[in-house]
Amino acid sequence: MTELADRRLLALAPNADRIQYRLDTLAKIGGLDGGGCCRLAFTDDDRRGRDLVASWMRDVGLDVVVDRIGNIVGVTPGRDGEAPIMMGSHIDTVATGGRYDGNLGVIAGLDVIETLKEAGISTDRPLALVVFSNEEGVRFQPDMMGSLVYAGALKLDEALAVTDGNGRTVAADLNAIGYLGDAPVGAVKPHAFVELHIEQGPVLDRAGEVLGVVENLQGIAWHELIIKGVSNHAGTTPMEMRHDAAFVAAEITTFVRRLASEIGRGQVATVGSIHLHPNLVNVIARDAKITVDLRHTDDALLAEAEHRLFAFIDNLAREEGVTIDRRELVRTQPVIFSPYVTGMIRQAAERRGMPVRSMTSGAGHDAQMISTIAPTAMIFIPSRDGISHNPREYTEPAHIAIGAQILLDTVVALANDHTGIQA
Ligand code: HGY
Ligand code: MN
Ligand code: MN
């Protein structure tokens, strides 16, 4: 790259005010008290968010298509057939979501493209931006559904047939919101993929640092357990005669906490959802439906945690005279991101004189799936107090500006790199 071009690029910065404006505008769709938002995938609020973001993508001049699992794919025009440098993330949220999780990666990626266009700078490779469907997996599992299908790791028909437990299918709800697209899934194979995301954890915030380059990401195992006991009178039933689904659910909940500390080395384990039936103060619970979320960077240890959980529940079922049926909702492998792309992120930070911390992602991300089809890595910026999946989620505008800057620099470097080093 010429000296002049290099200087022009160093002078180029995404528009931090425009990014903040778009984050705040998008957050009003499904807005929650406290500043967060709830836009569950394939609901009408999701549709409204999609419509808004797709309109911004078209305004920037991207060729925008919707694929058959509802991913919204925008590519800089006139470069058909050339593998782009792709950015993206998700705009669906959990029910108690914040305004940055996922949305940041989409809005900042959009601004990178718009900033380059405004400066009249075109890159050797085209650029692309993707809004992936159903990253959170709240109503329809697995999570990262859109990027899993995009990467060919989940069959389209299987994903479309997933139901939410109330008889609604992904296909029906995608169709209902007008995003059951007709573009083939995964048609645009990226040359490389970069996702900017909030850390959603405490590491950067506690260290007073701003930038993280994500080297790897945990494997995830989600299991749903259906516990069936016997409901009975809370007052008349002797303790030794009970088959109490609520007690079994509680035993499993405390077991997974012990399991995490026994396995250690970063193992995390969560029972995040418990539904009891009949859920009444004076009735011993007949049914309990719970979910277990296990994660580890080491797949063998994650499998060990699953194995120990299954042995525990089989034994508990016998002891308590209940049945426990289990269903695997998600099982993803740990991921090591591309040293080629993490190297570009590091170089971009160095050029700006910014320190950058090597990190592991505790959360799952679309990048995890896209890393199976293209060299991929992520950039993290801080979450205040490490809070996320919570309306109180907050990230400083100055940190967003830095994250977007490094995203721009990394993407331009990838788009203009012809060293052929792919890892
Ligand atoms: O569960 C996760 O880690 C992601 O937020 N879907
Ligand atoms: Mn996310
Ligand atoms: Mn999330």
Side-chain angles (χ1 to χ4, degrees):
M1 189 186 302
T2 64
E3 181 64 23
L4 171 66
D6 216 7
R7 272 210 309 275
R8 283 188 68 201
L9 274 175
L10 272 175
L12 206 53
N15 185 324
D17 291 341
R18 183 167 58 197
I19 291 172
Q20 196 63 50
Y21 164 76
R22 285 178 170 154
L23 282 171
D24 296 344
T25 305
L26 181 55
K28 292 190 177 90
I29 299 176
L32 294 174
D33 291 344
C37 39
C38 171
R39 280 194 308 275
L40 301 187
F42 313 145
T43 60
D44 200 52
D45 279 335
D46 185 25
R47 174 190 62 76
R48 292 165 59 219
R50 288 164 169 267
D51 289 351
L52 179 63
V53 171
S55 72
W56 285 336
M57 290 169 74
R58 290 189 179 95
D59 293 348
V60 169
L62 289 173
D63 285 341
V64 178
V65 297
V66 178
D67 73 17
R68 298 187 56 203
I69 194 65
N71 297 318
I72 304 169
V73 185
V75 187
T76 45
R79 314 285 293 269
D80 287 0
E82 294 178 60
I85 304 303
M86 185 179 277
M87 298 168 280
S89 194
H90 61 96
I91 63 169
D92 66 296
T93 72
V94 293
T96 55
R99 66 177 58 195
Y100 305 94
D101 175 3
N103 303 310
L104 171 69
V106 171
I107 300 295
L110 181 68
D111 212 272
V112 164
I113 292 171
E114 188 162 7
T115 300
L116 289 166
K117 183 179 178 186
E118 286 168 334
I121 293 177
S122 68
T123 49
D124 295 354
R125 290 190 179 89
L127 303 181
L129 178 70
V130 183
V131 180
F132 289 109
S133 290
N134 190 27
E135 190 276 346
E136 294 295 0
V138 173
R139 296 173 59 222
F140 300 102
Q141 291 85 33
D143 59 348
M144 282 80 84
M145 181 182 276
S147 48
L148 269 167
V149 176
Y150 199 96
L154 174 62
K155 288 195 180 63
L156 173 64
D157 293 346
E158 255 180 67
L160 291 171
V162 169
T163 65
D164 68 345
N166 300 321
R168 299 288 307 175
T169 63
V170 165
D173 279 10
L174 257 181
N175 193 41
I177 65 168
Y179 278 88
L180 186 61
D182 48 19
V185 182
V188 176
K189 189 173 175 314
H191 181 75
F193 181 80
V194 190
E195 182 173 0
L196 171 65
H197 205 288
I198 53 171
E199 178 199 331
Q200 301 184 284
V203 173
L204 289 172
D205 187 52
R206 274 188 190 154
E209 295 173 15
V210 178
L211 272 179
V213 56
V214 186
E215 310 280 354
N216 65 332
L217 192 146
Q218 294 191 110
I220 302 175
W222 287 1
H223 291 277
E224 178 185 77
L225 306 180
I226 305 288
I227 303 161
K228 286 209 171 300
V230 177
S231 67
N232 212 325
H233 196 295
T236 58
T237 312
M239 294 311 285
E240 70 278 8
M241 284 180 60
R242 295 182 180 213
H243 307 285
D244 181 345
F247 170 76
V248 170
E251 285 286 90
I252 293 169
T253 304
T254 53
F255 170 78
V256 298
R257 169 67 68 89
R258 287 197 307 275
L259 180 65
S261 52
E262 284 164 15
I263 295 234
R265 282 163 283 177
Q267 173 74 46
V268 289
T270 314
V271 170
S273 162
I274 296 182
H275 292 281
L276 298 178
H277 177 82
N279 201 36
L280 299 171
V281 62
N282 58 354
V283 179
I284 299 167
R286 183 194 71 192
D287 301 339
K289 183 166 92 169
I290 73 173
T291 56
V292 181
D293 177 322
L294 301 170
R295 305 197 191 197
H296 208 295
T297 51
D298 177 322
D299 197 53
L301 288 176
L302 181 55
E304 165 70 15
E306 289 182 288
H307 174 74
R308 285 167 62 173
L309 170 69
F310 300 158
F312 177 79
I313 62 177
D314 291 349
N315 189 46
L316 185 60
R318 278 192 298 276
E319 281 176 1
E320 294 300 319
V322 301
T323 60
I324 305 179
D325 293 324
R326 53 184 156 86
R327 182 164 70 101
E328 179 184 278
L329 300 177
V330 170
R331 184 59 168 94
T332 62
Q333 297 298 314
V335 157
I336 307 278
F337 284 130
S338 154
Y340 169 62
V341 182
T342 57
M344 288 290 196
I345 294 168
R346 250 192 223 90
Q347 284 169 33
E350 274 154 27
R351 265 201 303 275
R352 297 278 174 188
M354 293 174 191
V356 60
R357 174 186 280 253
S358 284
M359 299 182 76
T360 292
S361 174
H365 296 288
D366 292 311
Q368 179 175 1
M369 306 311 161
I370 303 305
S371 71
T372 60
I373 60 168
T376 295
M378 296 183 72
I379 302 164
F380 272 175
I381 57 173
S383 297
R384 185 174 61 186
D385 301 329
I387 297 282
S388 182
H389 282 189
N390 179 320
R392 287 179 38 237
E393 183 181 277
Y394 180 77
T395 296
E396 306 274 349
H399 296 167
I400 291 172
I402 291 169
Q405 181 70 68
I406 301 303
L407 179 66
L408 183 147
D409 294 356
T410 302
V411 159
V412 169
L414 287 166
N416 293 336
D417 179 55
H418 299 280
T419 55
I421 301 171
Q422 295 280 320

